Structure formats: C-alpha cells, structure tokens
Amino acid sequence: MARRCSSVAVNLILLLALFLDLGLCKTLKRDVTRDMVALSGSHTIGQARCVTFRQRIFGNGTDIDSGFASTRQRSCPASDGDGDDNLAGLDLVTPNSFDNNYFKNLIQKKALLQSDQVLFSGGSTDSLVTEYSRSPSTFSSDFASGMIKMGNIEPLTGTAGEIRKLCTAIN
C-alpha cells in the first residue's frame, strides 16, 4: 500500500481506489470500504516523518484541530528541508497501543495525515469511523478479518516467497 500511496494528500475516492488496486475486491465477501477503514486503523501505532505531514499542520485547513496542529508544529518546522526527518506519533494520545483511539482522533480532527482525516470528512466512511470509535471489539474483529484478506492477496509461496527476519532486508 505504501508504495502505491506516495502522496499523503489523497481524497477518499483515491484512497478507496488504492485499496481496490491491491486486489482486496478479489477476496471480499463484504464491502471493501469496511476493510479499508478498519485497515487504516493500523495508524493507531507508528510514526510519520515531518515531511509527510508538514503541509497539513501548516495549511490552516478547516479539517484539522488548531491546537493539535500547533502541538505538532513544535517538532516540525515550517521550512522544507528543515527537520524533514523529525518523527511524530500517528496517535498523539496512545502512540504505542493498538486501540481504537485512531478513530476518536479522526472525529476530533486530530489525524496527523490528510489521507487519514479523509475517512471522517463528511463522506461515506464517517459512520464506520464513528462505529469503530465506539466499539473497540468491532474494530479489532474487522481489522483481523481485513488483515487475513490482505495476507491472501497473491501470496508468494514455496521458493518464490521468503519469510524475512528483518522486514526491510532480504535474508
């Protein structure tokens, strides 16, 4: 997904198209939108480089909480090239916990990445974001289902595949 989603400034239609392009529709027994929103919840953990969210926090948009933007601006300078590699947690409140706080952040306009905030922006996915924000068990169940489907998309097997000891390097 990351290699196909090089721009973090995407809209909801493009985000859905990127998930369809992955081949999720081949394995689905339900709406791909539900899987996309659930799998996007993986951003409840992890970090992003300043260069990927600088435009969002300095853009004065209406879809970002001003206090959240101000907090993030402290570690991400406005100038391109300055602090590009500075990291910020995708989830300000529970950055090291796999939970449903990501969805609560979206509702509060506190998504670090624009590609996350589009999931709660007056569109067709708002109701799923709200559902997951209220029900950690539904989110966990749907996330697990989506991960299984992702794992079944054109897996490499036998000598064509490899289980890496370090994800970023070939064994």
Side-chain angles (χ1 to χ4, degrees):
M1 170 80 181
R3 64 187 156 85
R4 292 187 175 113
C5 189
S6 58
S7 171
V8 294
V10 298
N11 63 36
L12 186 56
I13 293 169
L14 178 57
L15 192 61
L16 183 57
L18 290 167
F19 270 79
L20 285 169
D21 184 49
L22 287 173
L24 267 175
C25 57
K26 295 176 187 173
T27 62
L28 289 180
K29 290 186 171 49
R30 63 180 180 165
D31 184 15
V32 69
T33 304
R34 190 167 193 92
D35 288 308
M36 177 190 71
V37 175
L39 291 169
S40 293
S42 67
H43 284 180
T44 190
I45 56 173
Q47 298 180 323
R49 293 175 56 224
C50 174
V51 70
T52 64
F53 61 86
R54 177 180 286 125
Q55 183 176 351
R56 175 159 169 74
I57 63 171
F58 286 101
N60 297 317
T62 59
D63 65 345
I64 187 168
D65 177 83
S66 60
F68 173 75
S70 177
T71 297
R72 292 309 195 179
Q73 288 170 2
R74 286 186 229 140
S75 63
C76 181
S79 307
D80 285 347
D82 190 17
D84 284 357
D85 292 329
N86 292 357
L87 297 174
L90 293 168
D91 177 351
L92 186 62
V93 180
T94 58
N96 299 314
S97 298
F98 190 85
D99 56 24
N100 69 332
N101 202 58
Y102 165 83
F103 299 103
K104 295 174 185 178
N105 290 339
L106 297 183
I107 292 168
Q108 296 171 7
K109 298 182 179 183
K110 294 181 179 180
L112 188 60
L113 304 176
Q114 183 63 34
S115 58
D116 287 335
Q117 191 61 58
V118 297
L119 296 176
F120 194 82
S121 58
S124 61
T125 55
D126 285 10
S127 61
L128 284 169
V129 169
T130 301
E131 180 181 355
Y132 292 150
S133 76
R134 293 178 179 161
S135 177
S137 61
T138 301
F139 162 57
S140 294
S141 175
D142 285 356
F143 181 83
S145 175
M147 285 299 292
I148 290 169
K149 290 174 189 174
M150 289 281 288
N152 288 328
I153 297 172
E154 300 178 16
L156 298 176
T157 59
T159 58
E162 172 182 79
I163 298 174
R164 293 186 179 184
K165 294 176 184 170
L166 179 61
C167 293
T168 57
I170 296 172
N171 291 339

